[in-house]
Structures are given as C-alpha cells and as structure tokens.
Amino acid sequence: MAVAALATGVAICSCGASSPGVRSAPSPPAETQLDPSAFAAGACEAFEPTKGDRQETVFLDAGHGGIDPGGVGATEAGKTIYEAGETLPVELDAMALLRAKGFRVVVSRTKDTTVVRLSAADESGGILTLQGSHDDVVARDECANDAKARALVGIYFDAGATAQTAGSLTAYDAARPFATENLTLATLVQTDVLADMNAQGWGIPDDGVMPDTTLGSYVGDPSAGGIAGEAASYNHLLLLGPASPGFFSTPSQMPGTVIEPLYLTDPFEGTIADSSQGQKAIAQGIASAIEKFLAPAPRAHKKSK
C-alpha cells in the first residue's frame, strides 16, 4: 500500500507458474449511498443480500482510488499496473460472494474515485496532499462506522524495493479493545486467501500476520509539526488504529484487518493481481474468512435426563 494508507510492507521471495487472464472491474448498480454530502460519488455504498438475510453488515475497503493510484507495478508481459485498479475488482467480487451468503455489504468505493469528497486542502496539482491522504482513509473508517459493520477488511497490494520481493501479509491492530477479535479475523483472512491462491499452484510465500505497529506511520516529519508531525508519530494504520487527539477522532468501531496478498512489483505476482483468476481467488478467501469469523456459535444441546 502507498501513502494514503500511511503504511509500508515486508517481504520474502517469489516463485513461478502459469499466467492467468486479465479483466476489468465489474460495475454493480448502486443501491444506497450512505451520505452523499460526505463521500464522493460512487463511494460508501450499501448493497443488500441477494440470498437470505443474516442481519449482519460487512465493510470492504478497496484501497486507494481516484487521484491516488497507490502502488505501481508491472506484469510479466510488461503492462504497468496500479494498486487502485487491482483492489477494486477484488472488493466487488468479495462483495458479490458475501451478498449471496446473506450479508449486507458496504463498500468504500464502486469505481475509480477517492472515498472522501475532496476539499481544496486535500489535493494539489491533481495529487493528494498529506491532509488529503489522511482524510481519504479517515472517510473509510467513517463509512464503516456509519454502516454499523460487524467486520472490516481492507484490500491493498504491496510494493517492494526489488522485483524479487514477494508474498502475502495481513495486519491487525493490537491496541484496540477488540484486539483479540482483530487477530482472529486477520489470521482467518491470511490463511484463507493464501489457501485459495496457492490452490491454483502459485506458491505465494506466507509473510505472516503482524501488528500494524510494524507497518504504520512512516510518512511525515516529526519535527515539522501539524499533520506531518502527527502522521510520523501515529504508529498504526489509520484504517485499523485507535483515536489520537488532534489527529484522528473517528476510528473504526469494529474488528478489522488489512490484507496485502501480493506484490505488484514482482511481475509474477503482479500478473496474478491483474487477472480475473487471481482477483477471484483472493475474493473467495476474504469472503470465506469473513463468513467463518461471523459464524454464530453452535448452541449447546441440553442432555436429556
């Protein structure tokens, strides 16, 4: 993930396999935008179940979007790919799967847009400012809270310093009141997404589940003051982390996790990220993990006397 998520990543190595085919993101019809005055057109939209109704809402975040393309990588064929364009179809595929399982799903965006309705302070020369990056992630938390979601999953991709950096990583926040649930959800997402990808024979390395304190807040200058200083000292992912006076007042109110299933800068993994087969495998893992996480506990049977 890139600046808008205030995070960086770690990595291991890559393996080879066949290259799946490529597609563009589906475009579902909007059902309900939660707050048109706060969110950009096509952002923070709710979709009702298509089969059954579990009376539970899930929030899915397709990282980056609009004037924030996120990380940049390339496929084995040399095609340049952008994180924002690869997270969206995964989110929409996962949404369709969850709706068919009876969940109401609220998504951060349904097209190539920021989530926040941009103000003058949020952009400069067609690029998000540090304030804009902050506001766009905060808007995703606010959308999840407005939705009253039971679980939050952020979908991002990673970028490394070399083309050999590879693997799947999932983050959680250990400082929240629901830290145990965060870890449970993160572990399920990492396990199920890796299993579904590697069932295709891709051999994606397992970079593990880790607290977001190892990933957050490398942006900004502590001596600069203002938002730059606050960003540098906030040692969490904004999407998952706690409130911080003067910097962040609307943290997510439900268990959550962020997965970075592939490195766009590894051409092999970038090819998977840009493919229908890869996007659907990631989405299937996310949907199955969420269903397990929200599955009702089995009722205890009374012993007959």
Side-chain angles (χ1 to χ4, degrees), residues 10 12 167-171 186 190 194 205-210 258 260:
V10 295
I12 327 181
S168 177
L169 165 72
T170 302
Q190 175 76 355
L194 259 180
D206 184 353
D207 287 359
V209 174
M210 61 183 61
V258 167
E260 297 177 289

Side-chain angles (χ1 to χ4, degrees), residues 22-299:
V22 177
R23 58 150 186 178
S24 58
S27 301
E31 294 204 356
T32 305
Q33 187 176 32
L34 297 193
D35 185 354
S37 67
F39 302 108
C44 195
E45 295 187 346
F47 295 82
E48 298 303 317
T50 54
K51 184 178 181 181
D53 189 352
R54 295 177 53 130
Q55 301 292 311
E56 291 180 305
T57 298
V58 172
F59 176 75
L60 301 176
D61 171 32
H64 306 283
I67 62 172
D68 172 23
V72 183
T75 66
E76 291 175 313
K79 175 186 174 182
T80 300
I81 54 175
Y82 299 92
E83 187 177 5
E86 309 302 351
T87 60
L88 182 59
V90 175
E91 176 211 74
L92 297 177
D93 281 345
M95 175 183 74
L97 292 168
L98 288 164
R99 293 177 72 195
K101 294 175 181 292
F103 293 99
R104 174 178 177 259
V105 183
V106 175
V107 294
S108 63
R109 58 189 182 94
T110 59
K111 61 182 183 179
D112 186 20
T113 182
T114 57
V115 177
V116 71
R117 187 176 287 278
L118 294 173
S119 69
D122 289 332
E123 60 177 308
S124 177
I127 299 173
L128 281 182
T129 61
L130 185 56
Q131 182 69 54
S133 295
H134 173 278
D135 292 348
D136 197 42
V137 180
V138 169
R140 297 163 202 251
D141 283 318
E142 292 172 344
C143 177
N145 292 340
D146 288 351
K148 296 179 172 57
R150 288 279 316 283
L152 174 160
V153 175
I155 303 161
Y156 290 75
F157 286 97
D158 223 328
T162 72
Q164 287 71 48
T165 305
S168 177
L169 165 72
T170 302
Y172 71 99
D173 192 286
R176 308 302 305 279
F178 36 81
T180 300
E181 291 88 343
N182 286 344
L183 177 57
T184 297
L185 177 59
T187 302
L188 286 168
V189 169
Q190 175 76 355
T191 300
D192 285 9
V193 170
L194 259 180
D196 280 324
M197 289 195 297
N198 287 339
Q200 312 297 318
W202 294 327
I204 305 301
D206 184 353
D207 287 359
V209 174
M210 61 183 61
D212 65 343
T213 50
T214 64
L215 303 170
S217 296
Y218 76 103
V219 178
D221 178 358
S223 65
I227 192 169
E230 293 285 353
S233 62
Y234 184 73
N235 197 28
H236 301 272
L237 299 181
L238 273 177
L239 192 64
L240 304 179
S244 177
F247 178 65
F248 182 35
S249 61
T250 56
S252 55
Q253 297 299 310
M254 71 292 299
T257 188
V258 167
I259 184 165
E260 297 177 289
L262 298 164
Y263 274 78
L264 300 183
T265 44
D266 171 8
F268 172 65
E269 291 194 358
T271 300
I272 296 170
D274 193 48
S275 72
S276 171
Q277 187 180 351
Q279 292 158 3
K280 288 179 178 177
I282 297 166
Q284 179 60 57
I286 291 169
S288 63
I290 290 172
E291 185 178 25
K292 291 173 186 175
F293 180 73
L294 295 178
R299 293 182 179 180

